């Protein structure tokens, strides 16, 4: 008999996608599984859906965020490997088996994280299509060793998890960055497209931008402490691309001097696109030239949002001692 794998599914009001998530778990080729749905204060039919699919259910009692839900599921889990999968993700049939194989073959690897497919799980809006392609490309171009967790589909040996500690329950948007930072100081954290699944991406621009704003803001205290970005999405080229996009907004004032005044903001926007040119080529190959125009417009707004969130975080960091200590957390890895 192989290692027991505990699948922990953090869930909050995910009844719409939970059946697809749990059906995909039932179809896994790896045989030794237990499935735990950690319900984070849902007010829909999530608990009934989970029980109808034969999953064990634990409840946090309140909506404390994904970190709290993962901690509750981990406390219930009996497995040798903890596999986290979000309730809006449907794993490929061999995802668990592949993750276990990698962990067994690489004893220095403390976590194996998978990559979400470019096609969304449910019938996508244009924004969901944008996010699916953008997130896939940023993930697959970051494959290999990374320094923050991709917890929507990832496997961690239970003994490593116990050594690193729990997810910081104070964090609701960046708990995976904090956990990955602690884990990657001791073990290799691997991101690989060999483990994959479909994700139901945010369908509306407002929801996506709000999420990205707060994630950028809340990263600032950790990055200020580490004095460097995480390894993964945050490449220097993408940072400069975001800054170039942000700089193009005040540069629009030069338009008042005449047609030549549009040159500066045009150059800055072009530089922003060039900073992630591989992504635009990928999108053109996948969806065609017309969609690239839409994609570029949305990504421009995403870049502006990321910079605005980072600036807000920097201001909050200078003004708030509590914010500066956001990532203070007593765990075996940093006690």
């Amino acid at each position: 008999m192989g290692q027991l794998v505990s699948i922990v599914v953090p869930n909050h009001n995910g009844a719409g996608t939970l059946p697809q998530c749990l059906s995909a778990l039932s179809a896994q080729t790896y045989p030794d599984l237990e499935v735990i749905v950690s319900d984070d204060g849902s007010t829909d039919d999530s608990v009934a859906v989970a029980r109808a699919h034969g999953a064990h259910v634990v409840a946090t009692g309140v909506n404390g965020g994904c970190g709290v839900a993962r901690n509750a599921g981990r406390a219930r889990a009996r497995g040798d490997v903890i596999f986290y999968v979000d309730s809006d993700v449907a794993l490929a049939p061999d995802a668990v088996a592949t993750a276990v194989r990698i962990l067994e073959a690489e004893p220095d690897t403390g976590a194996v994280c998978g990559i979400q497919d470019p096609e969304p799980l449910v019938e996508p809006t244009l924004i969901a299509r944008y996010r699916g392609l953008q997130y896939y490309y940023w993930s697959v171009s970051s494959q290999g060793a990374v320094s923050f967790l991709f917890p929507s589909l990832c496997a961690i040996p239970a003994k490593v998890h116990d050594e690193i500690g729990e997810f910081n329950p104070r964090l609701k948007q960046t708990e995976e960055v904090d956990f990955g930072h602690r884990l990657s100081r001791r073990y290799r954290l691997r991101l690989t497209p060999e483990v994959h699944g479909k994700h139901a991406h945010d369908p509306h621009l407002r929801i996506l931008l709000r999420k990205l704003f707060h994630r950028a803001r809340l990263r600032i205290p950790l990055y200020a402490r580490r004095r460097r970005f995480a390894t993964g999405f945050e490449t220097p080229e993408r940072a400069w691309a975001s800054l170039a996009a942000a700089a193009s907004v005040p540069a629009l004032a030069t338009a008042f001097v005449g047609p030549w005044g549009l040159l500066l903001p045009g150059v800055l926007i072009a530089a922003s696109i060039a900073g992630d040119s591989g992504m635009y080529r990928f999108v053109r190959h996948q969806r065609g030239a017309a969609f690239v125009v839409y994609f570029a417009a949305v990504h421009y707004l995403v870049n502006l949002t990321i910079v605005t969130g980072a600036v807000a975080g920097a201001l909050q960091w200078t003004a708030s001692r509590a914010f500066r200590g956001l990532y203070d957390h007593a765990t075996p890895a940093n006690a």
Side-chain angles (χ1 to χ4, degrees):
M1 187 173 181
Q3 298 187 86
L4 176 65
V5 176
S6 295
I7 309 284
V8 175
V9 183
N11 172 78
H12 175 70
N13 288 343
T17 56
L18 194 56
Q20 292 157 284
C21 173
L22 296 177
S23 294
L25 296 181
S26 298
Q28 290 298 300
T29 60
Y30 191 85
D32 300 321
L33 300 176
E34 67 169 357
V35 178
I36 302 166
V37 172
S38 186
D39 190 69
D40 192 32
S42 292
T43 56
D44 63 4
D45 295 330
S46 291
V47 170
V49 169
R51 287 177 175 153
H53 281 78
H56 303 291
V57 177
V58 297
T60 62
V62 294
N63 180 215
C66 282
V68 170
R70 292 191 191 101
N71 290 340
R74 169 66 189 99
R76 168 66 175 76
R78 300 178 296 113
D80 306 294
V81 174
I82 311 301
F83 196 118
Y84 291 111
V85 57
D86 286 354
S87 62
D88 55 0
V89 171
L91 294 178
D94 64 346
V96 175
T98 302
V100 171
R101 173 179 56 78
I102 293 171
L103 289 174
E104 290 177 342
E106 302 176 6
D108 62 332
T109 295
V112 172
C113 296
I115 290 178
Q116 299 169 8
D117 294 337
E119 277 297 312
L121 175 62
V122 297
E123 185 63 30
T125 62
L126 286 174
I127 288 297
R129 284 201 182 280
Y130 157 81
R131 182 59 165 166
L133 292 167
Q134 178 261 328
Y135 197 86
Y136 173 81
Y137 184 82
W138 279 23
S139 298
V140 80
S141 63
S142 303
Q143 64 180 290
V146 293
S147 64
F148 65 88
L149 206 67
F150 289 69
S152 62
L153 55 164
C154 73
I156 307 170
K159 62 181 181 180
V160 171
H161 204 315
D162 292 342
E163 180 184 343
I164 301 305
E166 64 177 8
F167 287 88
N168 188 335
R170 298 167 59 197
L171 303 175
K172 289 191 175 184
Q173 295 279 355
T174 54
E175 76 286 341
E176 77 284 4
V177 181
D178 170 65
F179 190 92
H181 166 60
R182 290 186 272 131
L183 187 148
S184 62
R185 289 189 296 173
R186 297 193 176 200
Y187 296 94
R188 185 169 184 249
L189 203 171
R190 179 174 168 185
L191 178 66
T192 174
E194 294 180 67
V195 179
H196 64 101
K198 292 185 180 296
H199 179 227
H201 289 285
D202 293 319
H204 303 298
L205 181 63
R206 176 180 56 84
I207 296 172
L208 176 61
L209 294 183
R210 184 175 65 229
K211 179 186 294 184
L212 294 175
F213 173 85
H214 288 297
R215 287 181 176 176
R217 178 179 66 85
L218 292 168
R219 277 169 161 76
I220 295 301
L222 181 62
Y223 290 173
R225 176 179 295 179
R226 298 184 66 192
R227 300 186 184 279
R228 60 186 177 90
F229 290 136
T231 303
F233 282 2
E234 292 93 344
T235 65
E237 293 81 8
R238 287 177 184 144
W240 283 113
S242 294
L243 290 172
S248 71
V249 176
L252 287 172
T254 62
F256 292 107
V257 304
W260 285 102
L262 293 173
L263 181 62
L264 178 58
V267 167
L268 289 169
I269 292 172
S272 177
I273 292 173
D276 217 342
S277 58
M279 177 179 67
Y280 291 98
R281 288 194 297 270
F282 168 75
V283 172
R284 186 179 186 280
H285 177 75
Q286 293 291 312
R287 302 290 302 171
F291 190 81
V292 171
V293 176
Y294 172 81
F295 184 98
V298 174
H299 199 65
Y300 179 76
L301 295 176
V302 164
N303 277 325
L304 295 184
T305 301
I306 290 171
V307 172
T308 304
V311 170
L315 294 173
Q316 191 173 359
W317 185 87
T318 62
S320 170
R321 178 180 296 179
F323 189 68
R324 290 194 294 272
L326 187 63
Y327 292 87
D328 295 339
H329 183 50
T331 67
N334 65 2

